[in-house]
Amino acid sequence: MKLSRYVLRYDTEDGSVYFNTKNNHSFLITNELKKNIQENKTTESEYIAYLEENKYLLEENEVNKYLKQIEDRNNEILEFTILTHGDCNFRCKYCYEHFKNIGMSIETENAILKFAEEKLSNSQYHFLRIAWFGGEPLLGYKTIQRLSLEFLKICERFGITYSASITTNGFLLTSSKFEKLVREYDVTNFQITIDGDGESHDSQRVLKNQKGSYARILNNLHKMKDSNLDFICTLRFNISKENYDHMESFLLNDGRYFKNDDRFFLLYHNIGNWGQGDRSKDDCVTVFKNDMSFGISKKAVDLGYHLSLPSIVVHNSFSCYANRLNHYMFNVRGIVQACTVALYDNQNVFGNINTGFINKDKMKGWFLSVREDCKTCPFVLVCKSGFCPMAKHITKLSSSVICKNMQEKIRKNLALYAISGCYEDILDVD
């Protein structure tokens, strides 16, 4: 019996968690059963049969086989990220965007719809995924309304499965808007940022008028939780030196209202040096050199919270949207891009949907391409030779640095996956 090199393992006090990156299957085997397997041939045979059934054992040419499966799955999905408005009602102290008070024109909306219809008329696609982004996307709520209804009609016509998400600061997310987004426009995945407790959040995530935003956002989140609607909400926490000590305060206080609701997940990220945007030098936060997200994520798990990232990062569908072949980002003026961070870099501009021109050859340079020397790496089916195209093309990090960062990211999230008890099966003695 020889396990595939693409099976990841994390040891806990109770046993070992195995995650098969070939098919995303996972299980915990207890220490007691491991001992029993060594002593009992029948138990050993049953265990080997279980491993073989779930593809944990070495297969011939397995890396190419499963990379092909991942590619085929991605080719069935058409993805749009749409920046509905050029402005934001916030002026966060780490924001990289330059704001302009413009909404999306009817002409640009129609050009996007025409492009979607042309693409989806090709039987290649089975799924359409829309991500509403900004600025603050709810400033462009009318665009979300109109495009959503048209996307739904197109998908019904071609038999396409539709889904939509939104990244919003949550300030404008009234009960009425929230219910309409879920019920009428099929927006069922929300990401809303809460930067610690009220004090730290209001220091970092300030309104244009310099007032705080925490109390209203928290109230809107309470109304989401009190509804009986089917949705997922990720509460994102951006970590700086200024707010780090306030992260636990949210977990021990305001966060408890959401802890036992399976619709709410927590997500921790270090703030990065993403660009100055429209901020002055005084409107900044201090960036950590080391990753601080793992420690606070583990604390959240210990306190009984659900995390969003562990199950995503170890899964072989994990990749940045900017990496994917059938992903298109449209800004408020119809400019076609891939990355929502490198908004102002010419390398991230591929045409304009209003003219119908997209430089596909230029776009191809951003897409995932697995190097031959990576194929023996146990993380390759997750990493696929690098996660962030901006790191490769714009910040120009070396392959060794990208590799080191990705391996660390996967290992930490595998640990969180294991201690969160996300695995599918538990193998124990009867």
Side-chain angles (χ1 to χ4, degrees):
M1 178 188 76
K2 187 171 183 180
L3 285 179
S4 166
R5 70 167 67 241
Y6 309 107
V7 172
L8 309 181
R9 169 177 167 172
Y10 182 83
D11 293 327
T12 71
E13 291 183 2
D14 299 323
S16 298
V17 174
Y18 289 88
F19 188 94
N20 186 355
T21 67
K22 295 188 293 184
N23 60 5
N24 306 306
H25 187 274
S26 59
F27 68 91
L28 166 72
I29 180 170
T30 65
N31 292 324
E32 190 174 357
L33 181 58
K34 285 194 282 186
K35 182 179 179 182
N36 193 299
I37 287 170
Q38 293 177 341
E39 298 172 350
N40 188 306
K41 291 295 183 183
T42 300
T43 305
E44 181 185 28
S45 296
E46 291 174 348
Y47 178 56
I48 292 173
Y50 174 86
L51 295 176
E52 188 170 16
E53 178 185 0
N54 292 289
K55 309 296 183 184
Y56 282 84
L57 302 182
L58 177 67
E59 301 175 70
E60 185 177 351
N61 197 32
E62 58 186 350
V63 66
N64 290 324
K65 172 185 175 181
Y66 289 100
L67 283 172
K68 181 65 166 56
Q69 286 185 10
I70 294 168
E71 180 183 1
D72 290 345
R73 182 178 65 217
N74 288 340
N75 284 338
E76 295 181 346
I77 305 167
L78 180 64
E79 298 177 277
F80 292 170
T81 297
I82 302 175
L83 280 60
T84 66
H85 205 278
D87 203 357
C88 183
N89 50 336
F90 281 32
R91 290 297 182 265
C92 301
K93 292 184 178 179
Y94 45 77
C95 186
Y96 54 88
E97 292 199 41
H98 298 283
F99 297 113
K100 293 186 178 179
N101 187 20
I102 54 172
M104 184 172 283
S105 69
I106 293 294
E107 290 75 19
T108 299
E109 291 177 8
N110 287 338
I112 293 171
L113 290 171
K114 180 182 177 183
F115 182 72
E117 188 156 13
E118 289 173 351
K119 283 284 185 181
L120 294 176
S121 64
N122 182 338
S123 58
Q124 165 187 339
Y125 298 108
H126 297 159
F127 304 91
L128 174 63
R129 295 178 181 171
I130 303 297
W132 302 110
F133 204 74
E136 166 50 43
L138 290 179
L139 290 175
Y141 183 58
K142 289 184 179 179
T143 290
I144 295 174
Q145 290 178 295
R146 180 169 183 266
L147 288 182
S148 294
L149 292 176
E150 294 302 318
F151 285 142
L152 286 164
K153 289 177 186 177
I154 293 170
C155 286
E156 184 177 6
R157 192 182 319 142
F158 293 114
I160 303 293
T161 300
Y162 179 81
S163 61
S165 64
I166 187 168
T167 300
T168 170
N169 57 44
F171 193 81
L172 302 174
L173 191 61
T174 62
S175 293
S176 174
K177 280 192 177 75
F178 166 65
E179 290 184 11
K180 284 188 176 181
L181 285 169
V182 177
R183 294 183 189 277
E184 298 181 28
Y185 311 129
D186 279 20
V187 180
T188 55
N189 197 310
F190 297 76
Q191 179 172 290
I192 299 172
T193 296
I194 296 284
D195 276 358
D197 59 17
E199 178 185 349
S200 64
H201 177 97
D202 283 345
S203 174
Q204 290 192 170
R205 296 184 64 80
V206 294
L207 293 164
K208 286 173 71 173
N209 62 13
Q210 299 302 303
K211 293 184 178 180
S213 58
Y214 182 83
R216 180 163 166 175
I217 296 169
L218 190 65
N219 183 55
N220 289 341
L221 287 168
H222 278 211
K223 290 177 180 177
M224 291 174 68
K225 186 195 180 304
D226 293 342
S227 78
N228 60 2
L229 296 175
D230 187 13
F231 65 93
I232 294 294
C233 181
T234 298
L235 300 180
R236 175 172 174 137
F237 299 82
N238 294 315
I239 305 170
S240 69
K241 285 189 177 180
E242 286 79 5
N243 75 351
Y244 179 72
D245 291 336
H246 295 260
M247 290 293 166
E248 189 172 337
S249 174
F250 178 85
L251 296 174
L252 297 175
N253 296 287
D254 289 337
R256 290 182 300 172
Y257 194 69
F258 309 97
K259 183 164 67 172
N260 297 317
D261 192 323
D262 291 341
R263 299 172 297 179
F264 286 86
F265 295 82
L266 308 187
L267 171 64
Y268 293 93
H269 274 292
N270 271 34
I271 289 171
N273 186 14
W274 300 317
Q276 191 69 27
D278 286 336
R279 294 177 290 116
S280 71
K281 291 183 179 180
D282 295 328
D283 292 326
C284 294
V285 294
T286 311
V287 176
F288 278 110
K289 290 184 179 179
N290 298 319
D291 175 40
M292 305 301 290
S293 65
F294 179 76
I296 191 64
S297 296
K298 188 175 183 303
K299 180 68 175 179
V301 172
D302 292 341
L303 290 171
Y305 286 89
H306 308 292
L307 299 181
S308 70
L309 206 55
S311 297
I312 296 170
V313 171
V314 296
H315 199 282
N316 67 27
S317 65
F318 175 64
S319 70
C320 175
Y321 47 81
N323 257 332
R324 296 197 279 265
L325 179 64
N326 301 308
H327 170 264
Y328 300 85
M329 189 193 89
F330 307 105
N331 80 4
V332 69
R333 289 192 170 100
I335 293 174
V336 182
Q337 300 181 274
C339 175
T340 59
V341 178
L343 292 173
Y344 314 107
D345 194 295
N346 188 55
Q347 296 180 77
N348 185 38
V349 174
F350 309 109
N352 193 306
I353 196 65
N354 290 301
T355 64
F357 173 73
I358 299 176
N359 189 334
K360 294 183 179 179
D361 290 334
K362 185 178 179 183
M363 286 190 78
K364 285 179 181 177
W366 279 64
F367 300 143
L368 285 172
S369 178
V370 179
R371 302 196 315 267
E372 284 298 320
D373 62 324
C374 290
K375 290 185 176 180
T376 57
C377 174
F379 303 109
V380 68
L381 296 176
V382 180
C383 173
K384 308 173 192 73
S385 296
F387 169 70
C388 175
M390 187 180 77
K392 291 184 279 190
H393 296 285
I394 295 176
T395 55
K396 297 193 181 299
L397 294 180
S398 67
S399 296
S400 60
V401 170
I402 292 173
C403 179
K404 180 182 177 182
N405 291 343
M406 277 302 304
Q407 290 196 18
E408 180 182 13
K409 187 180 187 77
I410 294 169
R411 286 193 180 99
K412 285 181 175 179
N413 280 282
L414 177 64
L416 293 170
Y417 181 91
I419 64 177
S420 297
C422 295
Y423 36 81
E424 296 174 52
D425 295 336
I426 298 177
L427 305 186
D428 199 358
V429 295
D430 293 333

